[in-house]
Amino acid sequence: DVKVTQSSRYLVKRTGEKVFLECVQDMDHENMFWYRQDPGLGLRLIYFSYDVKMKEKGDIPEGYSVSREKKERFSLILESASTNQTSMYLCASRYRALKYEQYFGPGTRLTVT
Amino acid sequence: GDSVTQMEGPVTLSEEAFLTINCTYTATGYPSLFWYVQYPGEGLQLLLKATKADDKGSNKGFEATYRKETTSFHLEKGSVQVSDSAVYFCALPHTQGGSEKLVFGKGTKLTVNP
């Protein structure tokens, strides 16, 4: 079974703090994704990565950056957290060959106070 | 651009009731279509898919038929259970600038009462 894990299920941070969200997958998937999920807005893509050290902006990249130094790990960074970044963050991965079938982690619920 | 529209929720049903969650799409050509499900406290998982027009995807008693005439991919189940309570997302692929992504609907929350 494919396993995608996220470092925390719940996280509380203060405004202005630098926040790291970690995602690890164990199936050698080339592609990885970060989404945020908000009520009434569904899932919105923040960033994705096709391979190690490669990244592309999604639909809402402002205020976020990412890092992919190893194939299995994809980090989302909030350089200076703000209250409007309070959300559920979901990581996903996929085999490039399967194109659209993504495997999701359980999510990190981030609260910025 | 490519998009999906799902019926607004929440949907509340009694056990053994019939379920329909509507999904319509706007896209160029005939893309694959997907339903993902998110159980409470978990990430999304693929429920079923259809890769071409007139295909029927099925899994766990759920079905959806890809209808190109109506650009729809409605999710149905004949008899829901309490364990089906979850959020359901319709999705389709979108290629932009060489990047292949999934576009999700906003989700429909289903609650099934005993």
Side-chain angles (χ1 to χ4, degrees), chain B residues 19-32:
Chain B
L19 168 71
T20 300
I21 299 178
N22 291 337
C23 171
T24 56
Y25 68 90
T26 302
T28 304
Y30 302 110
S32 297

Side-chain angles (χ1 to χ4, degrees), chain A residues 9 33 35 37 40-43 45 48 50 56 58-59 88 90 94 96 99-107, chain B residues 32 34 36 38 41-46 49 87 89 93-102 104-107:
Chain A
R9 294 300 298 269
F33 304 81
Y35 295 88
Q37 182 179 12
L41 297 177
L43 270 73
L45 182 63
F48 57 104
Y50 277 117
E56 287 199 34
D59 300 316
M88 171 70 85
L90 294 170
R94 73 172 182 210
R96 182 164 39 209
K99 275 197 170 182
Y100 304 113
E101 186 168 336
Q102 297 184 15
Y103 294 84
F104 283 81
Chain B
S32 297
F34 303 86
Y36 277 78
Q38 184 180 31
E42 299 183 14
L44 279 71
Q45 55 185 273
L46 181 65
K49 64 183 178 185
V87 182
F89 294 88
H94 176 65
T95 300
Q96 184 175 351
S99 304
E100 298 154 346
K101 306 184 290 186
L102 277 174
F104 289 90
K106 293 184 178 180

Side-chain angles (χ1 to χ4, degrees), chain A residues 2-20:
Chain A
V2 175
K3 194 154 177 128
V4 180
T5 56
Q6 296 184 228
S7 50
S8 306
R9 294 300 298 269
Y10 300 93
L11 208 52
V12 180
K13 296 292 182 180
R14 291 190 182 276
T15 301
E17 278 193 84
K18 191 168 185 175
V19 181
F20 293 86

Side-chain angles (χ1 to χ4, degrees), chain A residues 34-38 41-47 58-60 64 84 87 90, chain B residues 104:
Chain A
W34 275 107
Y35 295 88
R36 63 177 282 176
Q37 182 179 12
D38 300 288
L41 297 177
L43 270 73
R44 293 180 291 167
L45 182 63
I46 305 171
Y47 266 98
D59 300 316
I60 52 163
Y64 303 94
N84 63 13
S87 186
L90 294 170
Chain B
F104 289 90

Side-chain angles (χ1 to χ4, degrees), chain B:
Chain B
D2 296 354
S3 65
V4 290
T5 303
Q6 289 181 237
M7 63 185 285
E8 295 277 334
V11 174
T12 302
L13 296 173
S14 297
E15 211 164 19
E16 300 183 3
F18 184 85
L19 168 71
T20 300
I21 299 178
N22 291 337
C23 171
T24 56
Y25 68 90
T26 302
T28 304
Y30 302 110
S32 297
L33 297 170
F34 303 86
W35 277 101
Y36 277 78
V37 59
Q38 184 180 31
Y39 297 105
E42 299 183 14
L44 279 71
Q45 55 185 273
L46 181 65
L47 178 61
L48 55 83
K49 64 183 178 185
T51 56
K52 59 182 188 296
D54 300 325
D55 261 4
K56 179 184 283 188
S58 61
N59 186 25
K60 299 183 180 181
F62 290 89
E63 292 183 341
T65 301
Y66 188 155
R67 300 202 186 280
K68 63 180 180 183
E69 305 84 7
T70 53
T71 62
S72 65
F73 192 54
H74 305 324
L75 183 68
E76 297 181 335
K77 187 173 186 182
S79 176
V80 293
Q81 305 300 312
V82 172
S83 57
D84 294 325
S85 296
V87 182
Y88 293 83
F89 294 88
C90 187
L92 60 75
H94 176 65
T95 300
Q96 184 175 351
S99 304
E100 298 154 346
K101 306 184 290 186
L102 277 174
V103 174
F104 289 90
K106 293 184 178 180
T108 303
K109 183 174 182 180
L110 169 67
T111 301
V112 181
N113 294 318

